[in-house]
Amino acid sequence: MDIKSVQEGVKSPFIENIEEYVVVFLDIDNIRYINDTFGHSIGDKFLSMFGNRLSQIVGEEGIVFKYNDGEFVILFHKNEKELIDKKIQFILNESNKVFKEEDYEILSTASIGVYTPNSNDKIDDIIKKAYIAMYQGKTEGKGNYKHFTNSIEEKIKRKTLLTKELTKSIERNYEGLYLIYQPIYNVVEKKIDEAEALMRWKNQELGEISPAEFIPIAEEMGLIRKLGYWLIKKVLRQIKEWNKEGLNLKIAINISPQQVAEKDFLKKIKETIHEEDIDFRQIKLEITETQILKLDEQRFKDLTELINLGVDIALDDFGEGYSSIKSLVFSPITEVKIDKIFIDYIHQDEKIQKLISSIIYTVHGLGYKVIAEGVEYKEQFDKLLEYGCDKIQGYYIERPIDEKKIVEFIKGFHNTHYAI
Ligand code: C2E
Ligand code: CA
Ligand code: CA
């Protein structure tokens, strides 16, 4: 869904003295699922029932309009904010219920956005603002309500702009997109034999945009698959180039949820590595813990097959989210990447020291390697060595650098027997 559907939406309600109202935009989160699962005739009945119920709840205190399919606009007479908030919360609770229709039980949830208009606001803008608040709330988690603020509007504008520019870049043969590589120190071998590929984007007008900003947008807007394939090809070609220079690095590639979820993704990766004639042992895929727990049996099999061919699978950002023992025990992985949030305190906090040393012990017991990321200081590095961490990545070793600099860096590093 995009903002356009509101701008070009069906008839907007015409109301005089709009400033006397608070505008609420309600969107049924799973309307498409309901139509697809139960059929449109049941879907329509559900919607009309939903609308009636909404009108009953709102009663004399406002007016309910049907907007696009599964969308309603409610105008509440202005009142104390608390009272309106209470009413909206009630609507939300009532929307998140089981509806019975014929023999079917339909569980719905709704997201709501709220905007309080000024007298000079135009009706379309008003609805758009309520919609924007709803949309922002939805991206943070369905079944919620949110009031419109200017910062939400700014966020959405920026997102729309970045989506447009990123699409343009991709169309223009990935213009402005490039990769840099962060060296990874192998503690056992005392050398640098790996690096993580990190995507960068320099847009002509907007300048350098952080991956922490554009990757989530690319994921949400369905652009990540294309970017992902481009990146893999680019990495494989780069590995070939380095191999020719006698530098046999293993490269870690970040994989987004939509990529692994794609049916043929892992098969395609396998084929591409094969086509480019690269040793599977030169490839590592980094998948986050939250992501890996969502994969089905077939994906687990595919990952296991890749592991058997020699590919490393790292559990990225370990400990950052809801860590689960399940992900450690049952997932097809070869290493665990401890998140920077722990490394940040490892030289200062005794509890974190105990935690990390036992994580390293446990992970080794399960037969996997341990890598630490975000290591910035010697004190952190020393602690990790003391606990038997296998690999270290972070500014203490080196920042992410381009494909030429990394060759020089590694040569220099090995020649000077770095004071490690
Ligand atoms: P990540 O996978 O956890 O990558 C590590 C991030 O930490 C990188 O930020 C890296 O530059 C930064 N970093 C490394 N060492 C240090 C350190 O010692 N101190 C500090 N403060 N930071 C350090 P970056 O490159 O900005 O990437 C951010 C996130 O964007 C990545 O987190 C990853 O989730 C995503 N990302 C980047 N490139 C790609 C990509 O090609 N594909 C996908 N799917 N995601 C990517
Ligand atoms: Ca990573
Ligand atoms: Ca990470």
Side-chain angles (χ1 to χ4, degrees), residues 214-233:
F214 78 81
I215 299 275
I217 292 177
E219 287 174 344
E220 192 187 327
M221 299 303 176
L223 300 169
I224 196 71
R225 287 186 201 170
K226 273 194 176 163
L227 283 179
Y229 281 120
W230 167 79
L231 175 131
I232 289 167
K233 282 234 159 94

Side-chain angles (χ1 to χ4, degrees), residues 56 80-81 120 172 180 186 190 195 199 233 240 242 246 249 260 293 302 312-313 321 323 368 371 383 387 392 406:
Q56 270 172 15
E80 282 171 48
K81 188 174 174 290
N120 48 356
R172 293 181 183 164
I180 52 174
N186 180 328
K190 289 194 165 53
M199 216 186 292
K233 282 234 159 94
K240 258 189 182 168
W242 284 325
L249 286 176
V260 231
L293 284 172
D302 292 345
D312 262 336
I313 308 288
S323 285
Y368 315 134
I371 171 165
K383 277 282 167 230
Y387 301 148
I392 310 273
I406 197 167

